[in-house]
Amino acid sequence: MADEVVLLDTFFSMFGMRARLALAEKGIEYEYKEENLGDKSPVLLEMNPVHKKIPVLIHNGKPVCESLIIVQYIDEVWKDNNSPSLLPSDPYQKAQARFWADFVDKKLYDAGRRLCTTKGDELETAKKDFIEVLKLLEAELGEKSYFGGENFGFGDVALITYSNWFYSYETCGNFSVEEHCPKLMEWVKRCMEKESVSKSLADPKKIYDSILVFKKKHGFE
Amino acid sequence: MAANKVVLLDCHFSMFGMRARIALAEKGVDYEYREQNLFDKSALLLEMNPVHKKIPVLVHNGKPVCESMNIVEYIDEVWKNNNSSSLLPSDPYQRSQARFWADFVDQKVRLFIYYLFIAPILCRKRMWLKKGEEQEAAKKELLDALKLLEGELGNKRYFGGDSFGFADVALVPFYTWFYAYENLGNFSIEEHCPKLIEWGKRCVQKESVSKSLSDPHKTYEFIVGLRKKFGIE
């Protein structure tokens, strides 16, 4: 029986990109459906009635929601495909990978959002917080090629999808990520050499354009 | 082979800590419990969880695991051959559903905390709000979340189906805080979510749960004390 895989997503979402990336890593064919978050489709509302958010992976008609849960699901279902697991097999290493993915979600998203939507003192605080989080992540990366060690893994998937938003954060906050976290930017470039990554991430300038539209719409100028 | 040394840094009334305790009890793991004072954090806690500086922290042979559901998953994997069924199902789709509902509980936790600690302070500070308005809004959101969970439970014995599982572990510590919410908010959760209360009572019949949860009345006193400390009532 052929697998039917559909992804409900929006092009600029760093959460949606994680799902795309995991599918690409496993070489899974799927149908991509772009959602308009200002006018949510009946499919989205039916498949994610609790949160009404993207991404939603629909596998043979059954929905999986929440980006990191989707990535773990993809990693488990297609574990025999010709690519190493995104999550390590050792329970302790797995726990560490999950911890850092969770850290990214708890700290980076909020600081990034504030960078794009605030001014003055609030913006300066957001910038400080954002850089602090990146520095902590850079320290965790250390001398490793990837957060997963030798291989691109779960922690890398969680964070790399923010990298195409860096241009937007830097422009809004008037700072340079490379200046504060050069090793992290090296890691970004290393990840971007992987085809699965470069084809899953959106164009940074297009993301910035969509942020400008959002800011205008919601009066954040 | 070195003996397994397991230490849990925790606080007796913490819903997050209870999750770790339940998982360890389910697997019959011997461990050393160390009560932490969150107003004067120990050097060990700061060393083992430098990123968040929070409990619970499971320290297994000297290596720390942080974040409660992460700890539960770790325990489920490391001690998977112990005489008890897995907390997470083996089927990937069922696993994703269990993780989803555990995550839903975590996303809504802020509502419980907000209701008990933040809303009362805001009510006091924002004099132009009708007394209790913030509280009522928070109470409604909380009940909506509980009703959704009750809907998901349906007619199953547990969120995990026939067996007590991952999502049950995520939610059951909140059951012990229900008494406090009801008394402080002057409402009955049983009235709105009777099946959820039945589920709670069923879970507490399990020894791993009853010995891991704090007593509801003592929890209520603890919360009252904490609120006083923050200048509420």
Side-chain angles (χ1 to χ4, degrees), chain A residues 128-172:
Chain A
K128 180 179 162 293
D129 292 344
F130 188 81
I131 291 167
E132 224 172 85
V133 171
L134 286 187
K135 283 199 166 136
L136 237 155
L137 287 161
E138 192 181 52
E140 170 56 23
L141 178 67
E143 299 301 314
K144 304 197 294 287
S145 294
Y146 301 104
F147 284 89
E150 291 302 305
N151 296 316
F152 184 80
F154 192 70
D156 303 281
V157 172
L159 182 59
I160 194 61
T161 60
Y162 278 85
S163 68
N164 52 174
W165 278 67
F166 284 175
Y167 174 76
S168 298
Y169 296 142
E170 287 169 322
T171 309
C172 290

Side-chain angles (χ1 to χ4, degrees), chain A residues 19-204:
Chain A
R20 278 174 250 166
L21 182 40
L23 289 164
E25 277 282 301
K26 301 290 182 181
I28 305 301
E29 286 197 8
Y30 66 99
E31 183 191 347
Y32 178 94
K33 286 197 188 165
E34 180 78 11
E35 283 285 330
N36 175 0
L37 296 182
D39 185 18
K40 294 174 182 178
S41 73
V43 181
L44 175 57
L45 299 176
E46 182 197 337
M47 292 287 134
N48 191 358
V50 173
H51 299 303
K52 305 175 176 54
K53 290 179 175 178
I54 57 88
V56 181
L57 185 83
I58 308 173
H59 185 201
N60 296 329
K62 299 199 292 187
V64 182
C65 308
E66 296 299 303
S67 64
L68 293 177
I69 294 175
I70 292 171
V71 172
Q72 285 180 89
Y73 176 78
I74 291 166
D75 201 36
E76 287 168 11
V77 170
W78 288 284
K79 65 179 185 284
D80 295 325
N81 279 35
N82 284 348
S83 65
S85 280
L86 290 167
L87 274 161
S89 50
D90 172 68
Y92 187 75
Q93 296 306 325
K94 212 187 277 194
Q96 296 307 100
R98 286 196 298 253
F99 174 84
W100 286 104
D102 173 73
F103 174 79
V104 169
D105 274 350
K106 280 195 164 100
K107 301 290 185 182
L108 205 57
Y109 183 75
D110 177 68
R113 186 189 51 80
R114 284 183 283 133
L115 266 170
C116 297
T117 56
T118 61
K119 290 194 280 239
D121 283 343
E122 270 192 83
L123 176 60
E124 286 311 303
T125 306
K127 195 194 305 186
K128 180 179 162 293
D129 292 344
F130 188 81
I131 291 167
E132 224 172 85
V133 171
L134 286 187
K135 283 199 166 136
L136 237 155
L137 287 161
E138 192 181 52
E140 170 56 23
L141 178 67
E143 299 301 314
K144 304 197 294 287
S145 294
Y146 301 104
F147 284 89
E150 291 302 305
N151 296 316
F152 184 80
F154 192 70
D156 303 281
V157 172
L159 182 59
I160 194 61
T161 60
Y162 278 85
S163 68
N164 52 174
W165 278 67
F166 284 175
Y167 174 76
S168 298
Y169 296 142
E170 287 169 322
T171 309
C172 290
N174 191 26
F175 70 104
S176 152
V177 171
E178 183 138 28
E179 198 183 294
H180 296 272
C181 303
K183 291 214 149 178
L184 202 66
M185 285 314 291
E186 271 173 39
W187 163 82
V188 171
K189 286 170 190 156
R190 189 177 304 126
C191 291
M192 289 298 286
E193 281 164 17
K194 288 172 64 66
E195 198 196 334
S196 59
V197 176
S198 58
K199 79 176 191 180
S200 303
L201 266 50
D203 180 294

